Amino acid sequence: MVAGAVLEPGRLLLAQRRYPPEVAGKWELPGGKAEPGESPEAALRRELAEEIGVSVTVGAALRESVALRDDLMMIALRARIEAGVPHPAEHEALQWVDAAQLRAMLDAGRLVPADTVWVPELLADLGP
Ligand code: 523
């Protein structure tokens, strides 16, 4: 599983999940499962094109990874939009957040639980 930290100077793109019920309405780094033989970078480019309608340049991985299940790890890769305007093709909504907004969403329990491990690194990327 690969998620994208889509970053612009001072802001991060979050996507609001529609399912499953436990996390419906919560916000995540958009992404999905790699297909057999597909690299994480290629999977993220494909998922962000399908879900958000943008083409991205993929950058460095965030340090933390998350075990979603015993047999399913999720990593996050930084990404920068090269072309396209983000549009929620599969999510309920998208929003850009700055560091203060990201911290407030964490505190309010509005992030998908697995994604909370990345918040410290993302806050460092976003700056004050
Ligand atoms: N997460 C998650 N955080 C996160 C993503 C992209 C996904 O915790 N940033 C979890 C939520 C789902 C599972 O990973 O329980 C599958 O995510 P999904 O549905 O976005 O990936 P798909 O569409 O590739 O997988 P399936 O719908 O299961 O085929």
Side-chain angles (χ1 to χ4, degrees), residues 67-108:
L68 285 177
R69 299 192 312 250
D70 283 354
D71 60 342
L72 186 61
M73 292 299 295
M74 179 170 62
I75 63 165
L77 302 175
R78 294 179 178 84
R80 195 161 287 275
I81 295 175
E82 271 205 332
V85 176
H87 171 83
E90 297 178 10
H91 287 87
E92 186 61 30
L94 302 177
Q95 69 169 315
W96 290 101
V97 294
D98 64 17
Q101 291 168 318
L102 181 60
R103 203 177 289 114
M105 288 178 77
L106 174 70
D107 291 345

Side-chain angles (χ1 to χ4, degrees), residues 47-67:
E47 291 283 356
L48 293 180
E50 289 171 3
E51 295 185 353
I52 311 292
V54 295
S55 81
V56 298
T57 305
V58 176
L62 299 180
R63 276 189 305 276
E64 296 287 340
S65 56
V66 191

Side-chain angles (χ1 to χ4, degrees), residues 1 3 17 19-20 28-33 47 68 74 112 114-115:
M1 216 35 220
R17 286 198 68 96
Y19 69 93
E28 69 174 5
L29 303 187
K33 287 195 187 73
E47 291 283 356
L68 285 177
M74 179 170 62
V112 169
D115 293 38

